[in-house]
Amino acid sequence: MSTRTLVNAARRLVERRATIIPAIVESTGLTPEGVELALTKHLEVEATDDELARLEASTPKTSRVTVILSANVFVGALRAIAVARAAAPAVVVRPSRRDPTFARALVEEAADPAITIADDLDVAAIVEGEIHVYGRDQTIAEVRAKASPRVVVRGHGSGMGVAIVTHHDEASARGLAEDVVVFDQRGCLSPRVALVLGDASSFADALHEELERLDAAVPRGQVPGDERAAIGSYVATMTYASRALVGRSHVVGVAPEGSPLLLPPPYRHVHVAPVASIEAAAESLGPLVHGIATIGANDRAAGDALARALGIRVRVSELGRMQRPPLDGPVDLRA
Amino acid sequence: MDLAKSNALHARARAFVAAFERGDPAPEAFDVLACDIARYQIENSEGYARLVRARGLDPKMLVEATALPPVPTDAFKLTRVATFDEAETKTVFRTSGTTIGARGSHPMRDEGVATYDAAAVAYGRRWLMRDLEERVPVIVLGPSPDDAPDSSLVHMCAAFAAAFGSSVDYVIEGDIIDVSRFDERVAYALTDERPMLVLATSFALVHFIEGMDDVQFRLPARSRVMQTGGFKGKSREVEPHALRAEVARIFAIPSPAIIGEYGMTELTSQFYEERENAYVEPPWARVIPVDPDTLEPVEDGEVGIAKIIDLMNVDSAVAVLASDRVRRIAGGFELLGRQPGAAPRGCSIAIDEILGRS
């Protein structure tokens, strides 16, 4: 399988990660510990043959795929290129200009003659196959506008995760904290909102404790100025409205009962809101529904029920596995 | 809730307005009243008490308005920002709800509405009616108070119409601008060259201009147009300078006759544009640029987030944190819009993107 070649290359990169971590730290703003965590726990180097077979079987075939990586978490390059390679015998990858290290290293390590790197790309000059673009809605729209009508453009946009917590135990809080910390919560699967059936306040306390522990083990990276403003405002808002649990590099906001949802900024901020039922959770998430890329749950049936109630097709994972979906297709099933 | 105390604070706040109208100096120090209102809000609002405690402040030691912790506008979406019981509520102004379905609410009791009207009319008169001695016909390019009873902007326009108008016409019903009514009123005013006052939101002006194509709609000499608010996704966005030029062209009025107003539902006071992007506060409100991290005032001339001290917000939040960036300039402040989104790293979604998809 051509995708296995890529996975093996990724594994070799992890083994010699010391050579690429400094450049990734520089370009992503994550700390060395954050990059280490992403590479060692969230890169799909343990993908099974069964997962890869599903990936290859479920991917529509075409003659050629051009992959544009503009905004994604850096390890996402493996899945993006694997999906493209499963689709076509010829793949051209344009790495993110801001964050090219991992994608470039992966392509070089794979040494698959079917995959080439293109630093400069004229979208309008692509005349066949598909373009897979990973980025903001605006980037995807720009690529669509420029692309030839003969080329299929598949957009993989930004997103967020939500968690539904039906009962709380230490493992649930720990799992959610792990999902939050990786990539400093900048991934399109990163949970930003946790809806809790029952005592949201005590779950928030447990989550705060787990995040505090992880803040020490995996320090947060740089936070840009505009996000710092959003963080200050979020803390003051939640303090006024109810409760803000402020850690060394995270915040857990506890929402007042029945209040509308507020989307907290990324960089380790979780909005914990009490809900009376799955239906009530779906109702409160209504305005955010177009942004939800995954649901995490400590009760799989509750996660599935929430997805059904929202009327969306998304991955549903256990808490602690929201950022580790199997390598069996795109992370985002919304398209 | 101590209504007598609140009423006394309202009276002190309105004394600022009365002094302004008489051309007298402020009746007391701004900081003294601001801190007294803050202490009242600490005593009567658990949320504000928490915010003050979280900043490590002792209410008794508050002496400067700049030190008051601001309540972010998002708090008005999540919880009731008020120092009085629900039963005392006279009206609730609501934001237009551009943020993920949540609308901010600003409840007011009788005294609050009276204070709102007094402050808005006094400062509005200074900017909109300067050198006009008589009442003028007022046209509101917006809905009537009956159609939008929870809009503070509509309430303000109605207060202006009552205070300054010889007649008032609301020419928007639903999504329709009644151009023929507008035309009729303008034609009538032109017969005796009486100046008019047009009160309009930016997005209504854009729709009006688009509907008129290249047609000019000359207003009588000395007329003026108050332009307020953003676009809120209700029309295409137009760069402020370009919109001003278009408004001047279509109404055949000089650019200085177009007066920008900046206000928000969470405030009781308004600000007016003296020159492009440069706004002036009334003596009862101050805009302080603060560091986004520390919420401390930035150095003079530096850009910060707008912390607004509004002495008229007696029963809600005397200090409000907006999301706009501002810079102090001589005599006022420069309004620089929202914090520009630095190109985000990663694929975590932003609120604006969710709004764009809905």
Side-chain angles (χ1 to χ4, degrees):
Chain A
M1 276 188 291
S2 51
T3 49
R4 176 57 71 193
T5 306
L6 281 162
V7 171
N8 290 341
R11 185 178 296 117
R12 292 195 296 278
L13 274 185
V14 173
E15 284 163 8
R16 63 171 182 83
R17 59 188 178 280
T19 60
I20 55 172
I21 283 179
I24 297 173
V25 166
E26 177 71 25
S27 61
T28 61
L30 294 169
T31 57
E33 294 88 341
V35 175
E36 172 85 15
L37 174 70
L39 283 170
T40 56
K41 301 275 192 223
H42 295 274
L43 188 61
E44 300 87 345
V45 294
E46 303 301 332
T48 64
D49 287 344
D50 182 46
E51 285 167 12
L52 295 180
R54 288 207 304 275
L55 168 69
E56 302 225 359
S58 63
T59 307
K61 305 302 177 209
T62 185
S63 57
R64 179 184 187 85
V65 174
T66 303
V67 183
I68 300 176
L69 298 167
S70 46
N72 210 332
V73 293
F74 72 94
V75 296
L78 171 59
R79 187 180 298 262
I81 299 170
V83 168
R85 188 65 183 91
V91 173
V92 176
V93 178
R94 200 214 67 185
S96 159
R97 288 199 183 91
R98 223 163 26 168
D99 189 14
T101 307
F102 182 76
R104 183 180 297 282
L106 179 64
V107 170
E108 286 168 3
E109 186 69 38
D112 177 348
I115 307 173
T116 53
I117 291 272
D119 287 317
D120 292 307
L121 199 63
D122 180 1
V123 169
I126 299 169
V127 293
E128 61 166 319
E130 297 182 357
I131 299 173
H132 296 183
V133 52
Y134 294 79
R136 306 263 144 203
D137 292 353
Q138 192 188 344
T139 310
I140 295 169
E142 283 166 8
V143 170
R144 278 193 209 286
K146 284 184 197 158
S148 157
R150 285 178 293 168
V151 175
V152 174
V153 177
R154 297 191 192 277
H156 300 270
S158 53
M160 59 176 273
V162 300
I164 178 86
V165 180
T166 54
H167 53 278
H168 39 96
D169 46 33
E170 216 172 279
S172 300
R174 187 180 315 122
L176 182 57
E178 286 170 3
D179 290 328
V180 168
V181 163
V182 66
F183 315 124
D184 282 352
Q185 206 188 15
R186 285 186 271 146
C188 44
L189 305 179
S190 296
R192 311 258 289 272
V193 172
L195 301 170
V196 180
L197 292 159
D199 184 357
S201 203
S202 66
F203 179 76
D205 285 327
L207 179 62
H208 173 52
E209 214 168 282
E210 291 296 335
L211 284 168
E212 194 69 9
R213 186 179 59 78
L214 287 173
D215 284 347
V218 186
R220 184 173 63 182
Q222 302 158 6
V223 179
D226 56 334
E227 295 295 355
R228 289 204 307 273
I231 291 166
S233 178
Y234 181 71
V235 170
T237 296
M238 298 315 297
T239 302
Y240 186 97
S242 177
R243 207 151 71 99
L245 305 169
V246 183
R248 88 181 74 178
S249 50
H250 74 267
V251 178
V252 178
V254 188
E257 204 152 328
S259 61
L261 279 185
L262 193 65
L263 188 60
Y267 294 91
R268 306 189 185 184
H269 297 84
V270 189
H271 191 74
V272 175
V275 286
S277 64
I278 297 294
E279 292 70 31
E283 195 179 328
S284 67
L285 285 169
L288 297 172
V289 72
H290 300 289
I292 299 172
T294 190
I295 292 172
N298 55 1
D299 170 359
R300 174 76 198 208
D304 289 336
L306 181 58
R308 275 197 306 278
L310 287 166
I312 53 175
R313 186 166 167 259
V314 293
R315 290 181 183 269
V316 176
S317 315
E318 288 169 40
L319 297 179
R321 299 207 57 89
M322 291 176 75
Q323 303 270 18
R324 295 179 218 191
L327 186 54
D328 56 0
V331 287
D332 188 353
L333 305 180
R334 292 172 292 176
Chain B
M1 177 182 63
D2 183 342
L3 285 186
K5 209 165 183 179
S6 166
N7 289 346
L9 290 167
H10 275 287
R12 286 168 64 186
R14 289 207 293 264
F16 269 71
V17 178
F20 171 77
E21 286 184 305
R22 292 191 305 268
D24 289 346
E28 62 179 308
F30 184 98
D31 286 333
V32 170
L33 181 53
C35 293
D36 283 352
I37 295 172
R39 272 184 281 272
Y40 173 74
Q41 291 174 357
I42 292 164
E43 286 163 17
N44 292 279
S45 157
E46 283 178 28
Y48 199 53
R50 269 195 302 273
L51 204 51
V52 169
R53 273 199 306 274
R55 302 285 292 179
L57 297 172
D58 177 353
K60 289 192 213 81
M61 304 303 281
L62 292 172
V63 288
E64 286 184 351
T66 50
L68 300 178
V71 178
T73 51
D74 273 346
F76 290 75
K77 299 185 177 90
L78 280 195
T79 192
R80 189 168 177 273
V81 180
T83 54
F84 55 90
D85 294 340
E86 296 249 23
E88 295 291 329
T89 305
K90 161 88 170 173
T91 193
V92 180
F93 293 135
R94 293 181 209 281
T95 61
S96 51
T98 51
T99 305
I100 56 173
R103 297 179 71 188
S105 299
H106 189 176
M108 288 197 179
R109 60 188 193 88
D110 281 345
E111 281 295 302
V113 175
T115 299
Y116 183 105
D117 290 350
V121 167
Y123 206 47
R125 189 188 305 280
R126 166 67 57 92
W127 288 90
L128 304 173
M129 295 296 287
R130 63 181 168 219
D131 68 36
L132 296 177
E133 286 85 36
E134 291 183 10
R135 286 175 171 263
V136 295
V138 173
I139 295 186
V140 182
L141 262 178
S144 71
D146 287 343
D147 289 337
D150 61 358
S151 162
S152 60
L153 177 59
V154 170
H155 177 91
M156 181 184 76
C157 289
F160 289 171
F164 315 144
S166 56
S167 65
V168 58
D169 286 273
Y170 295 91
V171 295
I172 291 187
E173 268 190 56
D175 291 334
I176 310 289
I177 300 178
D178 188 346
V179 177
S180 59
R181 192 151 153 219
F182 194 129
D183 190 30
E184 186 189 307
R185 289 298 170 191
V186 173
Y188 185 70
L190 278 169
T191 56
D192 55 358
E193 274 299 328
R194 291 179 71 188
M196 304 182 72
L197 178 60
V198 177
L199 309 173
T201 58
S202 299
F203 61 82
L205 285 169
V206 171
H207 285 308
F208 189 81
I209 290 163
E210 283 175 343
M212 293 296 108
D213 290 328
D214 289 334
V215 176
Q216 218 180 24
F217 222 102
R218 188 171 76 83
L219 297 182
R222 298 167 67 216
S223 293
R224 53 212 59 179
V225 174
M226 183 195 83
Q227 175 199 334
T228 185
F231 299 95
K232 301 184 170 82
K234 294 182 179 176
S235 73
R236 69 187 167 89
E237 298 258 339
V238 181
E239 206 265 318
H241 189 77
L243 181 58
R244 178 176 281 263
E246 272 298 285
V247 171
R249 181 193 64 76
I250 200 163
F251 292 128
I253 54 175
S255 183
I258 302 161
I259 298 148
E261 184 261 357
Y262 169 59
M264 56 183 75
T265 303
E266 297 84 354
L267 297 177
T268 302
S269 299
Q270 297 82 34
F271 312 101
Y272 286 90
E273 195 177 19
E274 190 169 51
R275 54 186 189 281
E276 198 167 329
N277 288 339
Y279 288 78
V280 181
E281 306 115 311
W284 52 85
R286 277 185 199 162
V287 176
I288 305 165
V290 294
D291 180 276
D293 256 345
T294 63
L295 301 183
E296 295 295 327
V298 298
E299 295 289 319
D300 244 8
E302 302 229 323
V303 175
I305 306 295
K307 167 172 154 177
I308 301 165
I309 309 293
D310 185 353
L311 298 183
M312 303 295 127
N313 261 7
V314 171
D315 296 315
S316 52
V318 67
V320 171
L321 185 68
S323 50
D324 290 313
R325 293 176 316 137
V326 291
R327 173 169 38 212
R328 291 303 310 179
I329 51 175
F333 65 95
E334 198 177 358
L335 184 61
L336 302 164
R338 291 183 60 190
Q339 182 84 17
R345 288 171 158 183
C347 49
S348 186
I349 199 161
I351 286 173
D352 289 349
E353 263 192 309
I354 293 182
L355 288 171
R357 289 178 190 176
S358 50

